Amino acid sequence: ARTNRHWFFCALAAIGLWGLVHFAMKYIAIGDAPTEQFLTAWYPAALASTIIIHFFEPKKNPAPSGTKIRLAHLLMFSGLGLLTVGTLGLFYYALTLGPGVLVFSVHDLLQVGSGALIGLLIFQEKKALNRREFIGIIFGAIAALFLIVSSSL
């Protein structure tokens, strides 16, 4: 499959929106909203948004009539949903306990690092780094180290 060239702009828009979500999460966490209250508001809103998107999304490949949902898929998606709730709950709780700059930085660093390792080790996605990319990784690692060390002082 050929890679669409617009992936970068989609990723950039998603990062911008996720930045707004991060800001809102920390703002709510500062207000001492309990984690349970945050999660019970977050997921119904996410479900409503998904339903709205579903109605406006163009149907490129509609499912054939009579398509059955397989039990294995339903169980897997349910398990992933529970993991997502737990992850978001822990992330929000971390925001109630620590400074946002540190929580977000560690979150993003580990998310990128684990994603890269999964791609490399499980999906065999290998890419030779050029000099600029290698230097960027080194600077990113140094910045992460400074954030971690400065927060413990």
Side-chain angles (χ1 to χ4, degrees):
R2 192 167 165 237
T3 302
N4 187 316
R5 293 182 181 206
H6 298 292
W7 70 266
F8 179 76
F9 298 109
C10 291
L12 196 60
I15 290 167
L17 290 172
W18 194 240
L20 290 173
V21 169
H22 277 183
F23 171 78
M25 285 175 68
K26 183 58 183 178
Y27 185 78
I28 294 168
I30 290 172
D32 293 331
T35 303
E36 302 81 20
Q37 185 179 15
F38 171 75
L39 290 175
T40 55
W42 178 283
Y43 282 100
L47 177 62
S49 300
T50 303
I51 291 169
I52 292 168
I53 290 169
H54 174 74
F55 284 115
F56 289 105
E57 181 182 39
K59 306 295 184 264
K60 294 180 182 175
N61 297 318
S65 61
T67 301
K68 295 181 182 177
I69 297 174
R70 292 178 26 202
L71 181 61
H73 285 163
L74 189 60
L75 291 174
M76 182 176 67
F77 296 151
S78 298
L80 290 173
L82 290 173
L83 287 173
T84 302
V85 170
T87 300
L88 187 63
L90 286 171
F91 183 56
Y92 179 80
Y93 185 63
L95 286 172
T96 65
L97 299 175
V101 67
L102 184 62
V103 173
F104 291 129
S105 298
V106 169
H107 170 269
D108 293 343
L109 175 70
L110 294 176
Q111 191 172 23
V112 168
S114 63
L117 285 175
I118 289 169
L120 179 67
L121 299 175
I122 296 175
F123 296 108
Q124 307 301 313
E125 298 174 348
K126 295 186 170 117
K127 180 190 182 304
L129 298 176
N130 65 31
R131 183 177 174 164
R132 185 173 41 166
E133 292 167 333
F134 184 74
I135 290 170
I137 290 173
I138 297 297
F139 278 126
I142 291 170
L145 186 63
F146 279 139
L147 279 172
I148 292 169
V149 169
S150 68
S151 70
S152 64
L153 297 177

